[in-house]
Amino acid sequence: MWQNHDLKKNYDVVIIGGGAHGLATAYYLSKLGINNVAVLEQKFIGYGGSGRNTALLRSNYRTEEGIKFYDQSIKLYEDLSGELDFNLMFSNWP
Ligand SMILES: Cc1cc2nc3c(=O)[nH]c(=O)nc-3n(C[C@H](O)[C@H](O)[C@H](O)COP(=O)(O)OP(=O)(O)OC[C@H]3O[C@@H](n4cnc5c(N)ncnc54)[C@H](O)[C@@H]3O)c2cc1C
């Protein structure tokens, strides 16, 4: 998985940036059956903010609509370690 690949001539979706948003977009597209996807990263995976943040996940930002959005995102995290068979060290405080 973590290796250089030759690029194909065509993709259904091209995502610029291998941070949390780009990778999550690719992952959830694949769950919808959209697999012909390229994530193009200029440096290395996690080079940007995603590889250097304080790792707090919270749903208390700014607007009512935003809170619902973040709530749903945190719910996705609850099952993600199991889905990926990789320990993301996610913990949810009461
Ligand atoms: C010090 C710090 C602490 C933070 N703490 C928190 C926190 O506790 N909780 C929280 O929710 N958020 C936190 N954040 C914010 C969070 O890290 C970012 O919102 C999040 O990582 C953004 O993800 P992203 O995928 O959009 O961008 P990034 O992770 O920055 O990824 C963008 C990627 O795109 C690549 N790229 C850019 N241009 C191109 C190009 N032209 N071609 C190819 N690749 C390109 C970059 O190399 C990079 O890897 C923090 C951020 C910082 C810096």
Side-chain angles (χ1 to χ4, degrees):
M1 181 165 65
W2 307 112
Q3 58 198 3
N4 289 327
H5 295 278
D6 291 332
L7 290 176
K8 297 196 290 189
K9 284 200 165 175
N10 299 294
Y11 292 94
D12 294 327
V13 179
V14 174
I15 297 164
I16 311 295
H21 287 130
L23 297 178
T25 301
Y27 176 68
Y28 287 106
L29 283 172
S30 80
K31 289 188 74 167
L32 294 171
I34 302 166
N35 295 309
N36 188 26
V37 175
V39 179
L40 304 181
E41 169 53 51
Q42 65 180 351
K43 298 277 189 180
F44 53 85
I45 296 297
Y47 168 77
S50 300
R52 58 189 86 216
N53 60 45
T54 36
L56 293 172
L57 302 170
R58 61 205 156 211
S59 45
N60 59 350
Y61 279 129
R62 295 187 183 166
T63 63
E64 285 290 319
E65 297 79 8
I67 290 167
K68 288 180 193 158
F69 181 80
Y70 290 116
D71 270 349
Q72 185 58 35
S73 300
I74 287 175
K75 284 201 182 78
L76 294 175
Y77 264 97
E78 287 171 0
D79 298 326
L80 205 51
S81 287
E83 284 181 30
L84 298 174
D85 194 22
F86 184 86
N87 186 1
L88 298 170
M89 296 191 284
F90 172 76
S91 70
N92 205 349
W93 300 345

